[in-house]
Amino acid sequence: MKNTLKKSRSVEKYIMKKLKNKPLHFSLIDPDPSKTKIEYVIDAVSKLEDAGTDAIMVGGSSGVKNSFLDKVIISIKESCSLPIILFPGNPETGVSKHAHAVFFLCLMNSKDMRFATGYQSIGARLIKIYGIEPIPVGYIIIEPGMTVGKNAELIKRDEIDKAIGYALAAQYMGMRLVYLEAGSGAYEPVPLEMIKAVKHEIDIPLIVGGGIKTEEQAKNAIIAGADIIVTGTIIEKDIKKSIEIVKAIKSLKRRKLKNKR
Ligand code: 1GP
């Protein structure tokens, strides 16, 4: 299915509208040429779209090359009609003019200003020139944090009040979404009690990602309060399992969830 979405279409509005009915799933593709094969990506995104995933995120890795990033996004557009959202690991190589939107991340618990506002100041100009829609996201890293966690004052798994504080701060700073991240390939996802407590305090949608590898983990995160689940590593490792995860998320109805939470 060829992608004919125009850049002028608001991806943020698309997300907020879809969230009124069901929890969402976003598929993360890592544009690292050492582990990502274009043919695999084309096949995977097409299957994930058929299963019901709601958007394709591209990025996450710092080993991205601009030319390969462009190639990955152009290829995704050939086989999938969903919005493509950049998830940049770094602004010099993580921005492509072919994407529809970008999660404009502020690493809330960063220990280095470059990840809070520094790299953003470089990326912002490119995003404006390319006409990509920026969606402000408060990005909060929880243990184990993995690679991205090296740049953060990691929040421990039992530091629920700290996570709430950062999430509320993100909302008050005007972020449209809060993202609780355990790190790509994390051996354990964000704790359910933390998801529940953060969701209870904030009024903006909550994204949860990092280490989600089973239908059970995805469903439990949604029941605890996640509005959007991101999976990446499992797409690279096991496309069948990824499809099952998407289907499990999409089987949950919003009205029934409100009663369970
Ligand atoms: C990473 O939250 C995403 O930024 C996805 O994590 O690769 O572990 O699915 P996984």
Side-chain angles (χ1 to χ4, degrees), residues 108 138-142 155-172 177-181 190-208 221 223-227 261:
M108 299 298 295
Y139 193 44
I140 303 168
I141 317 291
I142 316 299
I155 297 176
K156 294 193 172 58
R157 296 176 63 79
D158 60 357
E159 289 182 325
I160 290 178
D161 285 346
K162 218 180 211 183
I164 292 173
Y166 277 115
L168 265 183
Q171 177 177 324
Y172 295 160
L177 301 152
V178 166
Y179 191 150
L180 291 182
E181 169 76 270
V190 176
L192 298 176
E193 316 81 72
M194 186 179 277
I195 296 173
K196 189 170 186 174
V198 167
K199 179 65 186 173
H200 189 257
E201 297 292 335
I202 59 173
D203 305 308
I204 53 177
L206 179 61
I207 308 176
V208 174
I223 291 165
D227 296 294
R261 284 172 177 170

Side-chain angles (χ1 to χ4, degrees), residues 225-238:
D227 296 294
I228 302 170
I229 296 290
V230 178
T231 57
T233 305
I234 194 71
I235 296 173
E236 292 162 19
K237 294 199 166 148
D238 186 344

Side-chain angles (χ1 to χ4, degrees), residues 17 35 43 53 67 103 110 172 211 225 260:
K17 192 172 170 202
K35 56 179 180 178
D43 183 56
T53 194
S67 54
F103 276 157
S110 176
Y172 295 160
K260 279 195 184 178

Side-chain angles (χ1 to χ4, degrees), residues 19-162:
L19 272 176
K20 286 185 184 147
N21 302 316
K22 280 187 172 196
L24 307 188
H25 173 270
F26 290 177
S27 300
L28 175 61
I29 303 296
D30 186 348
D32 178 345
S34 67
K35 56 179 180 178
T36 302
K37 299 279 164 285
I38 298 276
E39 300 69 31
Y40 185 81
V41 170
I42 292 174
D43 183 56
V45 293
S46 165
K47 286 178 176 158
L48 288 160
E49 180 173 20
D50 289 346
T53 194
D54 299 283
I56 308 295
M57 288 163 61
V58 182
S61 170
S62 48
V64 177
K65 288 199 173 56
N66 282 111
S67 54
F68 191 69
L69 177 67
D70 286 344
K71 203 170 160 190
V72 167
I73 296 179
I74 291 167
S75 306
I76 292 173
K77 282 177 154 178
E78 288 296 321
S79 58
C80 153
S81 64
L82 295 169
I84 298 169
I85 306 170
L86 294 169
F87 183 56
N90 109 40
E92 272 131 9
T93 58
V95 182
S96 164
K97 63 182 172 193
H98 301 286
H100 301 107
V102 54
F103 276 157
F104 202 76
L105 303 169
C106 174
L107 207 174
M108 299 298 295
N109 54 329
S110 176
K111 59 182 173 193
D112 180 338
M113 277 303 284
R114 285 178 302 169
F115 293 93
T117 57
Y119 289 137
Q120 288 77 348
S121 71
I122 302 168
R125 301 190 65 191
L126 268 182
I127 286 164
K128 181 158 190 186
I129 292 165
Y130 291 157
I132 305 166
E133 177 190 347
I135 304 174
V137 174
Y139 193 44
I140 303 168
I141 317 291
I142 316 299
E143 272 185 344
M146 311 307 282
T147 307
V148 70
K150 293 186 183 130
N151 306 314
E153 295 283 0
L154 276 186
I155 297 176
K156 294 193 172 58
R157 296 176 63 79
D158 60 357
E159 289 182 325
I160 290 178
D161 285 346
K162 218 180 211 183

